[in-house]
């Protein structure tokens, strides 16, 4: 895997009505056609695309450097928000994009930062070229706002995981109570180790969640 230290946000510069009856995969394929057929690139320029309804899909493989920000492709991940036609640099996010895209972009950034702790910077195309409004808002200002949405999302994710975990735990417990003597002791010790390991793995998310609800 190449070294990844930045996420750069873009927009497709399309109108809200563009391919509105189609899903994100079809929109991704159309943008890929612009990049491959029209521009002669070897693949779509972006790594992720986020539709008006918040649906997110993959573009170019993360291992491959993208083609989205001249001079800044080597170590970045390019994310494209569908929409943004006629937007300007200092527009508010919601002037050109939807609440669902706001949430989806925050979730995507959060999960990429968890997966690649080396990501220290989230910027917009317009941070690198004064000639472009793309993505049609100032990413740093947008990042600084609405932190509550991120915490809400984390706590919703945790609630869902807890419910799932509760379901599996009930099943496992039922099986363990069927065991006797040494078998039961071994099974309980094994479960203890699994629980501790899970908590250890989830510690960052739990820490974030605690910070969000206090
Ligand atoms: Zn751009």
């Amino acid at each position: 895997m190449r070294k990844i230290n930045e996420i750069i946000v873009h927009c497709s510069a399309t109108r809200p009505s563009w391919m509105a009856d189609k899903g994100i995969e079809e929109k991704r394929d159309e943008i890929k056609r612009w990049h491959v057929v029209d521009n002669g690139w070897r693949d779509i320029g972006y790594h992720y695309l986020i539709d008006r309804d918040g649906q997110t899909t993959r573009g170019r493989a993360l291992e491959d450097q993208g083609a989205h920000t001249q001079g800044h492709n080597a170590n970045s991940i390019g994310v494209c928000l569908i929409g943004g036609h006629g937007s300007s640099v200092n527009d508010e996010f919601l002037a050109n994009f939807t609440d669902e895209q706001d949430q989806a972009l925050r979730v995507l950034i959060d999960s990429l930062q968890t997966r690649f702790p080396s990501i220290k910077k989230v910027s917009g195309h317009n941070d690198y070229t004064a000639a472009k409004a793309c993505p049609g808002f100032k990413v740093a200002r947008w990042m600084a706002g609405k932190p509550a949405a991120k915490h809400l999302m984390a706590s919703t994710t945790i609630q869902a995981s807890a419910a799932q975990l509760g379901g599996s735990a009930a099943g496992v417990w039922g099986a363990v109570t069927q065991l006797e003597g040494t078998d039961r002791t071994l099974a309980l010790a094994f479960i203890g180790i699994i629980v501790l390991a899970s908590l250890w793995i989830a510690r960052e998310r739990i820490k974030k969640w605690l910070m969000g609800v206090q």
Side-chain angles (χ1 to χ4, degrees):
M1 178 61 88
R2 67 201 169 93
K3 180 172 167 46
I4 290 173
N5 56 23
E6 183 174 11
I7 295 168
I8 304 179
V9 182
H10 298 264
C11 71
S12 60
T14 48
R15 295 173 193 280
S17 58
W18 178 71
M19 291 183 76
D21 58 334
K22 299 286 195 292
I24 186 61
E25 273 82 20
E26 284 160 293
K27 289 174 185 149
R28 187 255 332 268
D29 292 346
E30 175 63 7
I31 292 173
K32 181 172 175 173
R33 205 183 58 73
W34 301 344
H35 290 176
V36 174
V37 179
D38 300 350
N39 298 0
W41 301 350
R42 63 191 162 80
D43 197 356
I44 188 169
Y46 311 114
H47 296 98
Y48 288 93
L49 299 96
I50 300 177
D51 207 352
R52 312 282 304 165
D53 62 1
Q55 291 291 313
T56 301
T57 195
R58 295 287 304 270
R60 188 178 292 212
L62 283 179
E63 302 85 76
D64 291 344
Q65 83 164 49
H68 50 90
T69 310
Q70 201 167 24
H72 298 272
N73 290 315
N75 305 114
S76 67
I77 292 174
V79 178
C80 176
L81 293 164
I82 300 296
H85 176 85
S87 61
S88 46
V89 166
N90 286 312
D91 281 352
E92 289 299 324
F93 184 96
L94 291 176
N96 302 292
F97 305 101
T98 66
D99 268 317
E100 288 80 2
Q101 286 177 303
D102 183 301
Q103 297 261 323
L105 181 56
R106 287 179 199 277
V107 169
L108 178 61
I109 289 169
D110 201 28
S111 75
L112 286 172
Q113 284 180 320
T114 303
R115 186 167 159 199
F116 302 102
S118 51
I119 294 176
K120 301 293 180 214
K121 200 172 172 189
V122 182
S123 37
H125 197 175
N126 57 28
D127 290 319
Y128 292 113
T129 162
K132 302 228 182 216
C134 175
F137 60 98
K138 272 298 185 188
V139 171
R141 199 180 61 201
W142 170 79
M143 288 281 288
K146 270 179 81 174
K150 192 166 160 183
H151 291 133
L152 182 72
M153 196 60 61
S155 99
T156 311
T157 311
I158 286 193
Q159 281 162 16
S161 323
Q164 218 169 36
L165 210 63
S168 343
V172 170
W173 190 251
V176 169
T177 52
Q178 305 291 316
L179 298 172
E180 285 176 4
T182 319
D183 283 348
R184 183 186 280 194
T185 311
L186 282 173
L188 287 173
F190 182 68
I191 290 169
I193 290 167
I194 296 289
V195 168
L196 286 176
S198 311
L199 286 173
W200 177 251
I201 289 165
R203 68 195 187 284
E204 281 306 317
R205 195 159 271 283
I206 290 170
K207 217 189 294 170
K208 262 187 212 161
W209 177 63
L210 289 175
M211 276 160 48
V213 295
Q214 78 189 359

